[in-house]
Amino acid sequence: MNILGVDIGGSGIKGALVDVTQGTLTVERHRIPTPQPSLPQSVAETVDEIARHFSWQGPIGCTFPAVVKRGVTLSAANVDDAWIGTDGATLLSQTTNCPVVLLNDADAAGIAEMTFGVGKGQSGLVIMLTFGTGIGSAVFVDGVLVPNTEFGHMQIRNKDAEHRASARIRKEEGLSWKKWGKRVNEFLGHMEVLFSPDLFIIGGGVSKRHEKYFPYLKTQAEVVPAQMLNEAGIIGAAMAAREVSS
Ligand code: BGC
């Protein structure tokens, strides 16, 4: 069964048709730069452009890089503040003329990773973290998502964790893998004190360079790289839309 999955990010909006029973893309993904400023209406029009690119009519699963409750976006760390309090799901549905399910980007990536990736069959407490422009988090208890955790905003040395340890900060500050790895380790250590997870899954683009910084991660819980890389958000979004469309 195919569903359109769209991943809304601060710099790009990417979509593809997803076979939600296999967890794979059935077409090449289409990417459009995120409009700047990333106002709700302009972003909605870009999502519509992606739907039209695939001549899609049907449910759309859409990720968003912020807290999303019942379709309403409640924060906006790396997108325009105009999103705070916007009924994003309704706006996107009206603009695309398709039913839209909106959910947090890390939650979507986690859903895909727990179903088809490295988290498959993992019981206990699993924390998935995505390192990109910000740091996203998704928590699973025996495979069930606890949505909208925002661990990237945990305070470490009086700063949001994502302002010390995101992938963007590594590049911007020109940090060595060792230095950045130690920052990530400090962040995981804080989470370990609070949650005692059984497993950490590290996602985002940097997960494919895991051998560079995993040696500096010294948690008690096992740490593994995500398997689904850039496609996890799109796949997880489509899976969430399938849940409500069936
Ligand atoms: C946002 C999260 C999001 C993460 C990754 C953070 O700044 O607050 O909601 O999951 O970035 O995009």
Side-chain angles (χ1 to χ4, degrees), residues 73-205:
T73 48
L74 295 176
S75 63
N78 295 305
V79 281
D80 197 276
D81 279 354
W83 279 96
I84 299 173
T86 293
D87 184 343
T90 301
L91 172 67
L92 290 163
S93 296
Q94 285 170 349
T95 313
T96 58
N97 272 317
C98 295
V100 174
V101 172
L102 194 64
L103 74 165
N104 173 264
D105 54 1
D107 285 349
I111 289 170
E113 204 62 50
M114 292 298 286
T115 312
F116 298 110
V118 71
K120 192 173 169 184
Q122 284 286 344
S123 57
L125 183 68
V126 178
I127 299 183
M128 159 117 178
L129 297 165
T130 61
F131 291 82
T133 309
I135 297 178
S137 55
V139 172
F140 293 84
V141 182
D142 289 336
V144 177
L145 173 69
V146 180
N148 287 311
T149 55
E150 285 283 329
F151 296 163
H153 299 288
M154 180 183 274
Q155 295 295 296
I156 296 184
R157 297 179 194 257
N158 294 324
K159 268 191 173 179
D160 271 20
E162 71 176 25
H163 292 149
R164 285 182 46 79
S166 65
R168 171 170 63 103
I169 293 293
R170 185 185 72 79
K171 282 194 188 143
E172 276 180 13
E173 294 188 10
L175 300 175
S176 65
W177 286 108
K178 182 175 179 184
K179 209 159 191 184
W180 184 71
K182 287 187 163 183
R183 288 190 184 188
V184 173
N185 184 52
E186 184 179 32
F187 173 48
L188 298 187
H190 273 74
M191 266 178 302
E192 193 145 54
V193 168
L194 295 174
F195 300 103
S196 303
D198 298 290
L199 179 71
F200 285 109
I201 302 177
I202 306 296

Side-chain angles (χ1 to χ4, degrees), residues 197-244:
D198 298 290
L199 179 71
F200 285 109
I201 302 177
I202 306 296
V206 281
S207 58
K208 57 176 177 280
R209 308 189 72 184
H210 56 92
E211 69 296 337
K212 301 265 189 208
Y213 57 95
F214 268 38
Y216 308 109
L217 307 183
K218 309 283 183 205
T219 54
Q220 288 185 19
E222 197 187 348
V223 187
V224 293
Q227 277 174 354
M228 304 185 67
L229 306 177
N230 287 337
E231 292 169 1
I234 295 176
I235 294 171
M239 290 169 69
R242 189 243 329 239
E243 301 253 306
V244 297

